[in-house]
Amino acid sequence: MNCCDSTSMKINDPTANDKRVKPRKSYISRRSFLGKSLAVGAGTIGAGLLTGIRTAEARGGLTPGDAALLRFAAAAEILEADFWIQYNELGGVQDPEVPGGTGNPDYTDAIEVLDEDMPIYIHDNTDDEITHHQFLNAYLVSKGAAPVDLEPFRTLPGSTATGSSGILRLTNLTQLTVDTSWWTRYRDDSHNPDLDPNHVFPQAVPTLAVNQHTAIPRTDADTTDPNFLQAIANTAAFHFPTIEQGGNSLYPSMALRATHEEVLRILISIGPTETMHFQTWSDKAGNAPPLTAVDPVTGVSVTFPDLAVDDELLNKSLIMPEPCPFLDRSLPIVSIIRPTETRGVAMGVVRFLTDMGLFIGQSPAFFTLLNQLARAADHARHGRG
């Protein structure tokens, strides 16, 4: 998320088509037991409720601005958990910690071409995002503030391929336009979007940034062509860090607007986990095998280039943030998260995710609510109620 610039139920016979399915590695959960699901007794937040909760928030110890920051973060994490659950159902580890789905062996094999531990990473990233929104909503309730409930907008059909739970979704992973300019932005030592808002950073995968691409098999038909299936897995591999680099910027940007120390602590404690996700996925994306494939349904072509190159803006091994200008060009360059400009950060996230195609098929009411939450978060100011 460049936040300031801007899914059926039947399991295939594993012996079908004489395919040999390799045994999956055993997986030990990071948590030994699954706690009870969080139940928050609050309805959808509308315009009237957003303005009517200020008194309750003041009594609970949150300024309206701090509550707005946490609500927007909770909404973003709910949406993030929704699409990560889709990825986990098809290509991750299925267990009680991240329930739903039974796995798609063909898609999982394609994902594992990038790294054999990809299913574990997908599972753990999914688990993280679930705990983020559960914690944020519970904290809001503990302070007498309204939480976020997006369940009324769970209306989008997802994948019907083997492994999917077939439930309705909040997000759409089948029509993505993926901006991979973050790849070169973090390798550029001369430009920072906070100081150079008009600079155009080159795309790592230019064809992903145009047209619409699926990051999951839509049906079992998408798993029959190994080359196209690998293109789907490659698309997912670049979508993962594209999303996580957004959270990487969102949390420090919002933290600068927080008033209460505890709210600041929450934002700067969750934010670095998004950075850890970004670092992991940016490394794995570089392992995507070079290929060209044509979507048999849409006719859209995608080409994944070989990123084992000498060009420092594209070299897949240079995954550490290159130092760049920060605050003022008279100061030395420094390795930082970028961007972290706070103005319009939440609305920037909404535009970024919308432009990506993540919400294709959502209702006008969904966009109305999301924009209300973003405007309220952008209105927050440090030291102001």
Side-chain angles (χ1 to χ4, degrees), residues 7 83-84 86-88 90-91 107-108 110-111 122 159 172-178 208 212-218 222 228-240 243 295 302 304 356 358:
T7 81
F83 65 71
W84 274 112
Q86 295 178 64
Y87 282 128
N88 192 72
L90 295 168
Y107 182 61
T108 304
I111 287 284
I122 290 172
S159 170
N172 185 343
L173 293 178
T174 66
Q175 295 175 271
L176 297 177
T177 303
V178 185
L208 276 182
Q212 296 174 347
H213 310 269
T214 186
I216 54 174
R218 295 158 296 199
D222 283 341
F228 179 57
L229 181 59
Q230 191 62 57
I232 294 174
N234 286 7
T235 298
F238 276 93
H239 185 233
F240 298 167
I243 286 291
D295 189 321
V302 62
F304 292 90
M356 183 184 293
L358 202 62

mmCIF file of all heavy atoms in Angstrom, residues 7 83-84 86-88 90-91 107-108 110-111 122 159 172-178 208 212-218 222 228-240 243 295 302 304 356 358:
data_model
loop_
_atom_site.group_PDB
_atom_site.id
_atom_site.type_symbol
_atom_site.label_atom_id
_atom_site.label_comp_id
_atom_site.label_asym_id
_atom_site.label_seq_id
_atom_site.Cartn_x
_atom_site.Cartn_y
_atom_site.Cartn_z
ATOM 1 N N THR A 7 -12.159 -16.499 -1.672
ATOM 2 C CA THR A 7 -12.293 -16.201 -1.836
ATOM 3 C C THR A 7 -13.071 -17.062 -1.481
ATOM 4 O O THR A 7 -13.548 -16.862 -0.703
ATOM 5 C CB THR A 7 -11.836 -15.355 -1.397
ATOM 6 O OG1 THR A 7 -10.945 -15.097 -1.693
ATOM 7 C CG2 THR A 7 -11.838 -14.391 -0.903
ATOM 8 N N PHE A 83 -8.574 -10.941 2.595
ATOM 9 C CA PHE A 83 -7.912 -11.516 1.426
ATOM 10 C C PHE A 83 -6.795 -12.482 1.814
ATOM 11 O O PHE A 83 -6.525 -13.443 1.088
ATOM 12 C CB PHE A 83 -7.436 -10.448 0.437
ATOM 13 C CG PHE A 83 -6.370 -9.517 0.892
ATOM 14 C CD1 PHE A 83 -5.071 -9.942 1.073
ATOM 15 C CD2 PHE A 83 -6.661 -8.179 1.111
ATOM 16 C CE1 PHE A 83 -4.085 -9.061 1.473
ATOM 17 C CE2 PHE A 83 -5.678 -7.289 1.504
ATOM 18 C CZ PHE A 83 -4.383 -7.741 1.682
ATOM 19 N N TRP A 84 -6.159 -12.275 2.975
ATOM 20 C CA TRP A 84 -5.158 -13.249 3.401
ATOM 21 C C TRP A 84 -5.802 -14.601 3.700
ATOM 22 O O TRP A 84 -5.213 -15.653 3.442
ATOM 23 C CB TRP A 84 -4.388 -12.736 4.611
ATOM 24 C CG TRP A 84 -3.219 -11.877 4.235
ATOM 25 C CD1 TRP A 84 -3.066 -10.538 4.442
ATOM 26 C CD2 TRP A 84 -2.035 -12.309 3.561
ATOM 27 N NE1 TRP A 84 -1.872 -10.103 3.929
ATOM 28 C CE2 TRP A 84 -1.206 -11.167 3.384
ATOM 29 C CE3 TRP A 84 -1.584 -13.542 3.079
ATOM 30 C CZ2 TRP A 84 0.030 -11.229 2.756
ATOM 31 C CZ3 TRP A 84 -0.350 -13.609 2.453
ATOM 32 C CH2 TRP A 84 0.449 -12.464 2.297
ATOM 33 N N GLN A 86 -8.286 -15.837 2.116
ATOM 34 C CA GLN A 86 -8.475 -16.455 0.795
ATOM 35 C C GLN A 86 -7.186 -17.120 0.317
ATOM 36 O O GLN A 86 -7.201 -18.234 -0.211
ATOM 37 C CB GLN A 86 -8.939 -15.410 -0.208
ATOM 38 C CG GLN A 86 -10.313 -14.830 0.100
ATOM 39 C CD GLN A 86 -10.708 -13.761 -0.902
ATOM 40 O OE1 GLN A 86 -10.876 -14.042 -2.084
ATOM 41 N NE2 GLN A 86 -10.866 -12.525 -0.434
ATOM 42 N N TYR A 87 -6.077 -16.427 0.495
ATOM 43 C CA TYR A 87 -4.790 -17.007 0.121
ATOM 44 C C TYR A 87 -4.490 -18.247 0.958
ATOM 45 O O TYR A 87 -3.984 -19.258 0.445
ATOM 46 C CB TYR A 87 -3.671 -15.981 0.308
ATOM 47 C CG TYR A 87 -3.570 -14.935 -0.782
ATOM 48 C CD1 TYR A 87 -3.536 -13.577 -0.475
ATOM 49 C CD2 TYR A 87 -3.480 -15.298 -2.125
ATOM 50 C CE1 TYR A 87 -3.426 -12.613 -1.465
ATOM 51 C CE2 TYR A 87 -3.373 -14.335 -3.119
ATOM 52 C CZ TYR A 87 -3.342 -12.996 -2.793
ATOM 53 O OH TYR A 87 -3.228 -12.056 -3.776
ATOM 54 N N ASN A 88 -4.779 -18.178 2.233
ATOM 55 C CA ASN A 88 -4.460 -19.311 3.113
ATOM 56 C C ASN A 88 -5.315 -20.529 2.786
ATOM 57 O O ASN A 88 -4.845 -21.663 2.847
ATOM 58 C CB ASN A 88 -4.652 -18.922 4.580
ATOM 59 C CG ASN A 88 -4.044 -19.966 5.511
ATOM 60 O OD1 ASN A 88 -2.831 -20.089 5.631
ATOM 61 N ND2 ASN A 88 -4.902 -20.743 6.165
ATOM 62 N N LEU A 90 -6.272 -21.571 0.000
ATOM 63 C CA LEU A 90 -5.814 -22.230 -1.218
ATOM 64 C C LEU A 90 -4.329 -22.599 -1.191
ATOM 65 O O LEU A 90 -3.939 -23.611 -1.768
ATOM 66 C CB LEU A 90 -6.094 -21.328 -2.431
ATOM 67 C CG LEU A 90 -7.568 -21.066 -2.726
ATOM 68 C CD1 LEU A 90 -7.714 -19.951 -3.742
ATOM 69 C CD2 LEU A 90 -8.243 -22.336 -3.229
ATOM 70 N N GLY A 91 -3.512 -21.761 -0.539
ATOM 71 C CA GLY A 91 -2.077 -21.979 -0.613
ATOM 72 C C GLY A 91 -1.340 -21.954 0.705
ATOM 73 O O GLY A 91 -0.106 -21.993 0.723
ATOM 74 N N TYR A 107 -2.081 -25.189 -6.734
ATOM 75 C CA TYR A 107 -1.734 -23.793 -6.450
ATOM 76 C C TYR A 107 -0.617 -23.730 -5.411
ATOM 77 O O TYR A 107 0.323 -22.937 -5.525
ATOM 78 C CB TYR A 107 -2.973 -23.057 -5.952
ATOM 79 C CG TYR A 107 -2.781 -21.583 -5.650
ATOM 80 C CD1 TYR A 107 -2.400 -20.682 -6.636
ATOM 81 C CD2 TYR A 107 -3.030 -21.088 -4.363
ATOM 82 C CE1 TYR A 107 -2.259 -19.320 -6.364
ATOM 83 C CE2 TYR A 107 -2.901 -19.735 -4.084
ATOM 84 C CZ TYR A 107 -2.514 -18.860 -5.087
ATOM 85 O OH TYR A 107 -2.377 -17.514 -4.801
ATOM 86 N N THR A 108 -0.693 -24.587 -4.403
ATOM 87 C CA THR A 108 0.336 -24.617 -3.365
ATOM 88 C C THR A 108 1.685 -24.992 -3.962
ATOM 89 O O THR A 108 2.714 -24.398 -3.621
ATOM 90 C CB THR A 108 -0.045 -25.598 -2.242
ATOM 91 O OG1 THR A 108 -1.320 -25.232 -1.714
ATOM 92 C CG2 THR A 108 0.984 -25.567 -1.123
ATOM 93 N N ALA A 110 2.681 -24.378 -6.962
ATOM 94 C CA ALA A 110 3.152 -23.213 -7.720
ATOM 95 C C ALA A 110 3.680 -22.135 -6.782
ATOM 96 O O ALA A 110 4.696 -21.488 -7.067
ATOM 97 C CB ALA A 110 2.020 -22.659 -8.591
ATOM 98 N N ILE A 111 3.013 -21.947 -5.665
ATOM 99 C CA ILE A 111 3.480 -20.990 -4.654
ATOM 100 C C ILE A 111 4.837 -21.420 -4.107
ATOM 101 O O ILE A 111 5.736 -20.600 -3.897
ATOM 102 C CB ILE A 111 2.445 -20.876 -3.510
ATOM 103 C CG1 ILE A 111 1.207 -20.092 -3.965
ATOM 104 C CG2 ILE A 111 3.062 -20.239 -2.272
ATOM 105 C CD1 ILE A 111 1.395 -18.603 -4.050
ATOM 106 N N ILE A 122 2.352 -17.649 4.570
ATOM 107 C CA ILE A 122 0.989 -17.188 4.273
ATOM 108 C C ILE A 122 0.102 -17.380 5.500
ATOM 109 O O ILE A 122 -0.659 -16.483 5.885
ATOM 110 C CB ILE A 122 0.415 -17.947 3.058
ATOM 111 C CG1 ILE A 122 1.140 -17.525 1.770
ATOM 112 C CG2 ILE A 122 -1.090 -17.704 2.926
ATOM 113 C CD1 ILE A 122 0.786 -18.359 0.559
ATOM 114 N N SER A 159 -13.200 -17.574 -4.986
ATOM 115 C CA SER A 159 -12.816 -18.715 -5.800
ATOM 116 C C SER A 159 -13.757 -19.892 -5.568
ATOM 117 O O SER A 159 -14.262 -20.095 -4.453
ATOM 118 C CB SER A 159 -11.389 -19.134 -5.456
ATOM 119 O OG SER A 159 -11.055 -20.362 -6.061
ATOM 120 N N ASN A 172 -11.759 -8.711 -3.507
ATOM 121 C CA ASN A 172 -11.716 -9.420 -4.783
ATOM 122 C C ASN A 172 -10.261 -9.627 -5.192
ATOM 123 O O ASN A 172 -9.547 -8.650 -5.445
ATOM 124 C CB ASN A 172 -12.463 -8.588 -5.832
ATOM 125 C CG ASN A 172 -12.588 -9.282 -7.164
ATOM 126 O OD1 ASN A 172 -11.883 -10.238 -7.466
ATOM 127 N ND2 ASN A 172 -13.502 -8.797 -7.996
ATOM 128 N N LEU A 173 -9.812 -10.862 -5.284
ATOM 129 C CA LEU A 173 -8.430 -11.170 -5.655
ATOM 130 C C LEU A 173 -8.301 -11.622 -7.104
ATOM 131 O O LEU A 173 -7.228 -12.070 -7.522
ATOM 132 C CB LEU A 173 -7.865 -12.263 -4.746
ATOM 133 C CG LEU A 173 -7.666 -11.894 -3.280
ATOM 134 C CD1 LEU A 173 -7.135 -13.089 -2.492
ATOM 135 C CD2 LEU A 173 -6.724 -10.706 -3.137
ATOM 136 N N THR A 174 -9.357 -11.490 -7.877
ATOM 137 C CA THR A 174 -9.350 -12.031 -9.235
ATOM 138 C C THR A 174 -9.266 -10.975 -10.326
ATOM 139 O O THR A 174 -9.217 -11.313 -11.505
ATOM 140 C CB THR A 174 -10.615 -12.880 -9.476
ATOM 141 O OG1 THR A 174 -11.776 -12.050 -9.442
ATOM 142 C CG2 THR A 174 -10.743 -13.984 -8.433
ATOM 143 N N GLN A 175 -9.222 -9.700 -9.954
ATOM 144 C CA GLN A 175 -9.167 -8.625 -10.944
ATOM 145 C C GLN A 175 -8.200 -7.530 -10.482
ATOM 146 O O GLN A 175 -8.538 -6.354 -10.453
ATOM 147 C CB GLN A 175 -10.561 -8.037 -11.180
ATOM 148 C CG GLN A 175 -11.542 -9.025 -11.795
ATOM 149 C CD GLN A 175 -12.945 -8.446 -11.891
ATOM 150 O OE1 GLN A 175 -13.758 -8.568 -10.962
ATOM 151 N NE2 GLN A 175 -13.239 -7.821 -13.012
ATOM 152 N N LEU A 176 -6.984 -7.932 -10.154
ATOM 153 C CA LEU A 176 -6.031 -7.014 -9.546
ATOM 154 C C LEU A 176 -5.165 -6.293 -10.576
ATOM 155 O O LEU A 176 -4.731 -6.873 -11.563
ATOM 156 C CB LEU A 176 -5.115 -7.770 -8.586
ATOM 157 C CG LEU A 176 -5.784 -8.434 -7.383
ATOM 158 C CD1 LEU A 176 -4.742 -9.195 -6.569
ATOM 159 C CD2 LEU A 176 -6.492 -7.413 -6.514
ATOM 160 N N THR A 177 -4.908 -5.027 -10.301
ATOM 161 C CA THR A 177 -3.925 -4.233 -11.024
ATOM 162 C C THR A 177 -2.868 -3.866 -9.989
ATOM 163 O O THR A 177 -3.127 -3.053 -9.095
ATOM 164 C CB THR A 177 -4.563 -2.978 -11.632
ATOM 165 O OG1 THR A 177 -5.641 -3.373 -12.493
ATOM 166 C CG2 THR A 177 -3.546 -2.177 -12.436
ATOM 167 N N VAL A 178 -1.693 -4.471 -10.086
ATOM 168 C CA VAL A 178 -0.715 -4.420 -8.998
ATOM 169 C C VAL A 178 0.397 -3.419 -9.307
ATOM 170 O O VAL A 178 1.170 -3.606 -10.247
ATOM 171 C CB VAL A 178 -0.119 -5.814 -8.725
ATOM 172 C CG1 VAL A 178 0.811 -5.760 -7.509
ATOM 173 C CG2 VAL A 178 -1.228 -6.842 -8.496
ATOM 174 N N LEU A 208 1.943 -6.085 -14.719
ATOM 175 C CA LEU A 208 1.007 -6.218 -13.596
ATOM 176 C C LEU A 208 0.318 -4.905 -13.291
ATOM 177 O O LEU A 208 -0.762 -4.889 -12.685
ATOM 178 C CB LEU A 208 1.737 -6.704 -12.336
ATOM 179 C CG LEU A 208 1.972 -8.200 -12.166
ATOM 180 C CD1 LEU A 208 2.654 -8.467 -10.833
ATOM 181 C CD2 LEU A 208 0.672 -8.992 -12.283
ATOM 182 N N GLN A 212 -6.179 -6.338 -15.675
ATOM 183 C CA GLN A 212 -6.598 -7.017 -14.449
ATOM 184 C C GLN A 212 -6.103 -8.459 -14.450
ATOM 185 O O GLN A 212 -6.183 -9.156 -15.456
ATOM 186 C CB GLN A 212 -8.128 -6.986 -14.320
ATOM 187 C CG GLN A 212 -8.685 -5.581 -14.169
ATOM 188 C CD GLN A 212 -10.201 -5.555 -14.182
ATOM 189 O OE1 GLN A 212 -10.863 -6.540 -14.537
ATOM 190 N NE2 GLN A 212 -10.772 -4.419 -13.796
ATOM 191 N N HIS A 213 -5.589 -8.880 -13.296
ATOM 192 C CA HIS A 213 -4.962 -10.199 -13.173
ATOM 193 C C HIS A 213 -5.506 -10.920 -11.946
ATOM 194 O O HIS A 213 -5.798 -10.292 -10.924
ATOM 195 C CB HIS A 213 -3.449 -10.041 -13.055
ATOM 196 C CG HIS A 213 -2.849 -9.153 -14.103
ATOM 197 N ND1 HIS A 213 -2.381 -9.626 -15.301
ATOM 198 C CD2 HIS A 213 -2.660 -7.799 -14.136
ATOM 199 C CE1 HIS A 213 -1.932 -8.623 -16.032
ATOM 200 N NE2 HIS A 213 -2.082 -7.505 -15.347
ATOM 201 N N THR A 214 -5.605 -12.221 -12.029
ATOM 202 C CA THR A 214 -6.047 -12.994 -10.870
ATOM 203 C C THR A 214 -4.844 -13.512 -10.094
ATOM 204 O O THR A 214 -3.850 -13.952 -10.684
ATOM 205 C CB THR A 214 -6.971 -14.162 -11.278
ATOM 206 O OG1 THR A 214 -7.479 -14.785 -10.091
ATOM 207 C CG2 THR A 214 -6.262 -15.189 -12.154
ATOM 208 N N ALA A 215 -4.926 -13.436 -8.778
ATOM 209 C CA ALA A 215 -3.856 -13.904 -7.903
ATOM 210 C C ALA A 215 -4.200 -15.230 -7.247
ATOM 211 O O ALA A 215 -3.400 -15.764 -6.470
ATOM 212 C CB ALA A 215 -3.562 -12.855 -6.829
ATOM 213 N N ILE A 216 -5.381 -15.746 -7.527
ATOM 214 C CA ILE A 216 -5.802 -17.058 -7.044
ATOM 215 C C ILE A 216 -6.503 -17.775 -8.201
ATOM 216 O O ILE A 216 -7.048 -17.124 -9.098
ATOM 217 C CB ILE A 216 -6.772 -16.961 -5.845
ATOM 218 C CG1 ILE A 216 -7.963 -16.058 -6.189
ATOM 219 C CG2 ILE A 216 -6.068 -16.473 -4.591
ATOM 220 C CD1 ILE A 216 -9.048 -16.015 -5.120
ATOM 221 N N PRO A 217 -6.496 -19.101 -8.215
ATOM 222 C CA PRO A 217 -7.280 -19.803 -9.237
ATOM 223 C C PRO A 217 -8.771 -19.539 -9.023
ATOM 224 O O PRO A 217 -9.296 -19.765 -7.934
ATOM 225 C CB PRO A 217 -6.921 -21.276 -9.023
ATOM 226 C CG PRO A 217 -6.386 -21.362 -7.640
ATOM 227 C CD PRO A 217 -5.756 -20.028 -7.344
ATOM 228 N N ARG A 218 -9.425 -19.049 -10.053
ATOM 229 C CA ARG A 218 -10.847 -18.720 -9.927
ATOM 230 C C ARG A 218 -11.708 -19.974 -9.884
ATOM 231 O O ARG A 218 -12.704 -20.055 -9.155
ATOM 232 C CB ARG A 218 -11.268 -17.835 -11.113
ATOM 233 C CG ARG A 218 -10.571 -16.475 -11.126
ATOM 234 C CD ARG A 218 -10.562 -15.829 -12.495
ATOM 235 N NE ARG A 218 -9.781 -16.616 -13.464
ATOM 236 C CZ ARG A 218 -9.301 -16.129 -14.595
ATOM 237 N NH1 ARG A 218 -9.514 -14.857 -14.913
ATOM 238 N NH2 ARG A 218 -8.613 -16.909 -15.423
ATOM 239 N N ASP A 222 -8.388 -23.055 -13.904
ATOM 240 C CA ASP A 222 -7.174 -22.232 -13.851
ATOM 241 C C ASP A 222 -5.945 -23.017 -13.420
ATOM 242 O O ASP A 222 -4.827 -22.497 -13.494
ATOM 243 C CB ASP A 222 -7.377 -21.053 -12.884
ATOM 244 C CG ASP A 222 -8.212 -19.943 -13.486
ATOM 245 O OD1 ASP A 222 -8.335 -19.886 -14.730
ATOM 246 O OD2 ASP A 222 -8.752 -19.121 -12.710
ATOM 247 N N PHE A 228 0.263 -20.953 -16.859
ATOM 248 C CA PHE A 228 -0.677 -19.925 -16.380
ATOM 249 C C PHE A 228 -0.834 -19.997 -14.867
ATOM 250 O O PHE A 228 -0.909 -18.964 -14.189
ATOM 251 C CB PHE A 228 -2.032 -20.075 -17.063
ATOM 252 C CG PHE A 228 -3.052 -19.058 -16.607
ATOM 253 C CD1 PHE A 228 -2.799 -17.696 -16.707
ATOM 254 C CD2 PHE A 228 -4.255 -19.470 -16.046
ATOM 255 C CE1 PHE A 228 -3.731 -16.754 -16.270
ATOM 256 C CE2 PHE A 228 -5.191 -18.541 -15.609
ATOM 257 C CZ PHE A 228 -4.923 -17.175 -15.722
ATOM 258 N N LEU A 229 -0.853 -21.201 -14.321
ATOM 259 C CA LEU A 229 -0.968 -21.342 -12.861
ATOM 260 C C LEU A 229 0.229 -20.709 -12.172
ATOM 261 O O LEU A 229 0.089 -20.055 -11.125
ATOM 262 C CB LEU A 229 -1.089 -22.809 -12.476
ATOM 263 C CG LEU A 229 -1.242 -23.093 -10.971
ATOM 264 C CD1 LEU A 229 -2.475 -22.406 -10.402
ATOM 265 C CD2 LEU A 229 -1.306 -24.598 -10.731
ATOM 266 N N GLN A 230 1.427 -20.873 -12.757
ATOM 267 C CA GLN A 230 2.604 -20.236 -12.156
ATOM 268 C C GLN A 230 2.493 -18.726 -12.242
ATOM 269 O O GLN A 230 2.913 -18.009 -11.323
ATOM 270 C CB GLN A 230 3.878 -20.704 -12.843
ATOM 271 C CG GLN A 230 5.155 -20.283 -12.110
ATOM 272 C CD GLN A 230 5.238 -20.866 -10.716
ATOM 273 O OE1 GLN A 230 5.181 -22.083 -10.533
ATOM 274 N NE2 GLN A 230 5.349 -19.994 -9.703
ATOM 275 N N ALA A 231 1.904 -18.215 -13.327
ATOM 276 C CA ALA A 231 1.689 -16.771 -13.443
ATOM 277 C C ALA A 231 0.745 -16.275 -12.345
ATOM 278 O O ALA A 231 0.934 -15.178 -11.788
ATOM 279 C CB ALA A 231 1.135 -16.425 -14.818
ATOM 280 N N ILE A 232 -0.269 -17.063 -12.028
ATOM 281 C CA ILE A 232 -1.186 -16.705 -10.937
ATOM 282 C C ILE A 232 -0.415 -16.641 -9.613
ATOM 283 O O ILE A 232 -0.569 -15.687 -8.826
ATOM 284 C CB ILE A 232 -2.345 -17.715 -10.841
ATOM 285 C CG1 ILE A 232 -3.232 -17.646 -12.085
ATOM 286 C CG2 ILE A 232 -3.187 -17.455 -9.585
ATOM 287 C CD1 ILE A 232 -4.320 -18.713 -12.117
ATOM 288 N N ALA A 233 0.425 -17.657 -9.369
ATOM 289 C CA ALA A 233 1.211 -17.680 -8.134
ATOM 290 C C ALA A 233 2.191 -16.515 -8.092
ATOM 291 O O ALA A 233 2.397 -15.898 -7.041
ATOM 292 C CB ALA A 233 1.952 -19.010 -8.012
ATOM 293 N N ASN A 234 2.808 -16.198 -9.231
ATOM 294 C CA ASN A 234 3.717 -15.051 -9.290
ATOM 295 C C ASN A 234 2.976 -13.752 -8.986
ATOM 296 O O ASN A 234 3.509 -12.865 -8.306
ATOM 297 C CB ASN A 234 4.361 -14.958 -10.671
ATOM 298 C CG ASN A 234 5.431 -16.019 -10.916
ATOM 299 O OD1 ASN A 234 5.630 -16.915 -10.109
ATOM 300 N ND2 ASN A 234 6.097 -15.920 -12.055
ATOM 301 N N THR A 235 1.765 -13.627 -9.517
ATOM 302 C CA THR A 235 0.957 -12.428 -9.246
ATOM 303 C C THR A 235 0.709 -12.286 -7.751
ATOM 304 O O THR A 235 0.852 -11.198 -7.177
ATOM 305 C CB THR A 235 -0.377 -12.506 -10.003
ATOM 306 O OG1 THR A 235 -0.125 -12.556 -11.412
ATOM 307 C CG2 THR A 235 -1.263 -11.295 -9.692
ATOM 308 N N ALA A 236 0.353 -13.395 -7.098
ATOM 309 C CA ALA A 236 0.153 -13.371 -5.649
ATOM 310 C C ALA A 236 1.433 -12.963 -4.939
ATOM 311 O O ALA A 236 1.406 -12.151 -4.000
ATOM 312 C CB ALA A 236 -0.300 -14.746 -5.154
ATOM 313 N N ALA A 237 2.562 -13.506 -5.420
ATOM 314 C CA ALA A 237 3.837 -13.223 -4.764
ATOM 315 C C ALA A 237 4.176 -11.740 -4.784
ATOM 316 O O ALA A 237 4.786 -11.224 -3.838
ATOM 317 C CB ALA A 237 4.950 -14.026 -5.432
ATOM 318 N N PHE A 238 3.792 -11.030 -5.845
ATOM 319 C CA PHE A 238 4.028 -9.591 -5.894
ATOM 320 C C PHE A 238 2.911 -8.809 -5.200
ATOM 321 O O PHE A 238 3.145 -7.700 -4.701
ATOM 322 C CB PHE A 238 4.209 -9.115 -7.338
ATOM 323 C CG PHE A 238 5.614 -9.284 -7.831
ATOM 324 C CD1 PHE A 238 5.997 -10.430 -8.503
ATOM 325 C CD2 PHE A 238 6.567 -8.301 -7.598
ATOM 326 C CE1 PHE A 238 7.305 -10.603 -8.940
ATOM 327 C CE2 PHE A 238 7.882 -8.456 -8.022
ATOM 328 C CZ PHE A 238 8.250 -9.613 -8.700
ATOM 329 N N HIS A 239 1.718 -9.377 -5.149
ATOM 330 C CA HIS A 239 0.628 -8.710 -4.429
ATOM 331 C C HIS A 239 0.903 -8.681 -2.930
ATOM 332 O O HIS A 239 0.598 -7.690 -2.252
ATOM 333 C CB HIS A 239 -0.703 -9.422 -4.700
ATOM 334 C CG HIS A 239 -1.880 -8.732 -4.100
ATOM 335 N ND1 HIS A 239 -2.797 -9.358 -3.286
ATOM 336 C CD2 HIS A 239 -2.299 -7.434 -4.183
ATOM 337 C CE1 HIS A 239 -3.721 -8.504 -2.904
ATOM 338 N NE2 HIS A 239 -3.443 -7.333 -3.430
ATOM 339 N N PHE A 240 1.510 -9.747 -2.393
ATOM 340 C CA PHE A 240 1.789 -9.806 -0.958
ATOM 341 C C PHE A 240 2.591 -8.578 -0.492
ATOM 342 O O PHE A 240 2.144 -7.845 0.398
ATOM 343 C CB PHE A 240 2.556 -11.083 -0.601
ATOM 344 C CG PHE A 240 1.847 -12.372 -0.866
ATOM 345 C CD1 PHE A 240 2.549 -13.575 -0.833
ATOM 346 C CD2 PHE A 240 0.484 -12.417 -1.149
ATOM 347 C CE1 PHE A 240 1.915 -14.787 -1.074
ATOM 348 C CE2 PHE A 240 -0.163 -13.624 -1.392
ATOM 349 C CZ PHE A 240 0.560 -14.812 -1.363
ATOM 350 N N ILE A 243 0.876 -5.027 -0.803
ATOM 351 C CA ILE A 243 -0.034 -4.700 0.296
ATOM 352 C C ILE A 243 0.727 -4.360 1.565
ATOM 353 O O ILE A 243 0.463 -3.347 2.231
ATOM 354 C CB ILE A 243 -0.991 -5.886 0.555
ATOM 355 C CG1 ILE A 243 -2.049 -5.973 -0.544
ATOM 356 C CG2 ILE A 243 -1.650 -5.757 1.930
ATOM 357 C CD1 ILE A 243 -3.061 -4.833 -0.543
ATOM 358 N N ASP A 295 -3.996 -15.083 -19.905
ATOM 359 C CA ASP A 295 -5.190 -15.534 -19.189
ATOM 360 C C ASP A 295 -6.179 -16.112 -20.204
ATOM 361 O O ASP A 295 -6.631 -15.396 -21.103
ATOM 362 C CB ASP A 295 -5.822 -14.353 -18.445
ATOM 363 C CG ASP A 295 -6.928 -14.771 -17.501
ATOM 364 O OD1 ASP A 295 -7.714 -15.671 -17.858
ATOM 365 O OD2 ASP A 295 -7.042 -14.176 -16.412
ATOM 366 N N VAL A 302 0.596 -11.396 -19.230
ATOM 367 C CA VAL A 302 1.460 -10.896 -18.165
ATOM 368 C C VAL A 302 2.848 -11.477 -18.369
ATOM 369 O O VAL A 302 2.997 -12.638 -18.761
ATOM 370 C CB VAL A 302 0.915 -11.270 -16.764
ATOM 371 C CG1 VAL A 302 0.867 -12.773 -16.562
ATOM 372 C CG2 VAL A 302 1.726 -10.600 -15.661
ATOM 373 N N PHE A 304 6.586 -11.799 -16.403
ATOM 374 C CA PHE A 304 7.417 -11.626 -15.214
ATOM 375 C C PHE A 304 8.876 -11.665 -15.659
ATOM 376 O O PHE A 304 9.356 -12.691 -16.138
ATOM 377 C CB PHE A 304 7.125 -12.714 -14.183
ATOM 378 C CG PHE A 304 5.764 -12.598 -13.570
ATOM 379 C CD1 PHE A 304 4.684 -13.254 -14.152
ATOM 380 C CD2 PHE A 304 5.559 -11.812 -12.456
ATOM 381 C CE1 PHE A 304 3.406 -13.124 -13.613
ATOM 382 C CE2 PHE A 304 4.287 -11.669 -11.909
ATOM 383 C CZ PHE A 304 3.209 -12.329 -12.492
ATOM 384 N N MET A 356 -6.336 -0.681 -7.065
ATOM 385 C CA MET A 356 -5.798 -2.028 -7.211
ATOM 386 C C MET A 356 -6.850 -3.006 -7.717
ATOM 387 O O MET A 356 -6.519 -4.068 -8.254
ATOM 388 C CB MET A 356 -5.249 -2.489 -5.857
ATOM 389 C CG MET A 356 -4.597 -3.848 -5.847
ATOM 390 S SD MET A 356 -4.089 -4.312 -4.184
ATOM 391 C CE MET A 356 -2.803 -3.109 -3.875
ATOM 392 N N LEU A 358 -9.180 -4.246 -5.620
ATOM 393 C CA LEU A 358 -9.497 -5.114 -4.495
ATOM 394 C C LEU A 358 -10.979 -5.072 -4.125
ATOM 395 O O LEU A 358 -11.505 -6.009 -3.529
ATOM 396 C CB LEU A 358 -8.642 -4.708 -3.289
ATOM 397 C CG LEU A 358 -8.405 -5.734 -2.197
ATOM 398 C CD1 LEU A 358 -7.663 -6.949 -2.722
ATOM 399 C CD2 LEU A 358 -7.627 -5.113 -1.042
#
